[in-house]
Amino acid sequence: MNAHELKERLTGLLKTFEENETLLTNLDREIGDGDHGVNMLRGFKAVNDKLTGETIVDVLKSCGMTLMSAVGGASGPLYGFSFVKMSQVTEDELTADNIHALLDAFKEAVSARGKVTGGEKTMYDVISPAADADHLLSSQELQQLAEETKEMMATKGRAAYFKEKSQGTIDPGAQSAVYILDALIGGVR
C-alpha cells in the first residue's frame, strides 16, 4: 500500500463512520456519555477534508494531528497520538510483512496514553490482539475481538463508573478500533 492508497483508505473511513454513527452512539449511551459516534464522525469528516501528505509518514502524521484537533472525548487523543506514533515507525510502502511494526506502535501508543493493559473493556482489547496475532486478522476476526468486550467489566474511563452494568454491551472504542484497523490491515491483506 502506498501513500495514495493509504489516503483513500483513511478518507474512506468517513463513509464507515457515517454508516455506523448510530451504532457507536447507542453503544456509548449504554456505558458512557453517548458521544462516541458523533466524535468519530466529526474526526473523519475532518480527515476527509484535511488529510495531506505525499509519503506514508506524512499521511499518518496528518491523520493523527487532525484527529487530535477534531475528535472530542478520550478517543481523539488516543487515536491521534497513535497515528503520530505509527508515522514514526513506518516504511515507504506498507506490506503484509512490515505492517506489524505499525500495529505494534498503535498498541504501545494506546497502552501508554490510555494507561491500559487489556481485559479492561477498551479499544486496546481489539488493538492489542490484532498487533500480537501471527497473521493479519480478517474483518470478521476483528469484529469477534470487539464482541468479546461484551462480557468484560469496564475498569477505565467513564464506563468504569457503571461497574457490573458495563457488562453486556460492546465497548464503543473497541468497535471503532475494528473499523480503523480494518482500513489499515485491509490495504495489505
Side-chain angles (χ1 to χ4, degrees):
M1 179 166 50
N2 61 30
H4 175 73
E5 292 164 332
L6 178 60
K7 259 192 217 176
E8 285 186 347
R9 295 195 76 80
L10 293 175
T11 57
L13 279 166
L14 173 57
K15 186 173 190 291
T16 301
F17 283 110
E18 284 172 343
E19 291 169 353
N20 293 287
E21 177 190 6
T22 303
L23 169 68
L24 292 172
T25 295
N26 289 341
L27 289 175
D28 199 28
R29 276 197 188 119
E30 294 286 325
I31 58 171
D33 52 8
D35 65 352
H36 191 64
V38 173
N39 284 339
M40 294 307 295
L41 181 57
R42 181 186 314 119
F44 280 93
K45 271 185 180 162
V47 167
N48 190 62
D49 294 342
K50 299 177 182 176
L51 190 65
T52 61
E54 297 305 314
T55 66
I56 287 185
V57 170
D58 292 341
V59 171
L60 289 169
K61 190 170 184 185
S62 171
C63 185
M65 299 308 281
T66 302
L67 290 173
M68 277 195 263
S69 65
V71 182
S75 55
L78 285 168
Y79 282 134
F81 180 69
S82 298
F83 273 93
V84 171
K85 286 297 186 188
M86 285 189 279
S87 78
Q88 296 169 358
V89 300
T90 192
E91 296 185 33
D92 294 337
E93 189 167 356
L94 289 176
T95 67
D97 294 327
N98 68 22
I99 197 166
H100 284 287
L102 225 69
L103 299 176
D104 285 338
F106 197 175
K107 175 180 118 172
E108 289 165 19
V110 169
S111 175
R113 193 68 179 255
K115 298 177 176 56
V116 291
T117 57
E120 298 168 302
K121 197 177 188 96
T122 69
M123 64 177 68
Y124 188 80
D125 294 307
V126 172
I127 297 164
S128 179
D132 294 344
D134 59 4
H135 66 284
L136 296 176
L137 298 186
S138 67
S139 304
Q140 293 81 359
E141 288 171 310
L142 291 168
Q143 186 58 46
Q144 182 56 41
L145 292 172
E147 298 286 337
E148 289 169 10
T149 67
K150 262 187 187 177
E151 299 317 312
M152 295 176 185
M153 185 171 76
T155 59
K156 296 288 182 191
R158 194 178 298 263
Y161 295 118
F162 289 83
K163 297 187 169 51
E164 292 83 8
K165 290 180 185 168
S166 69
Q167 293 172 303
T169 190
I170 292 172
D171 179 69
Q175 187 60 56
S176 64
V178 168
Y179 306 138
I180 291 172
L181 284 166
D182 200 39
L184 292 171
I185 294 171
V188 298
R189 253 192 223 112

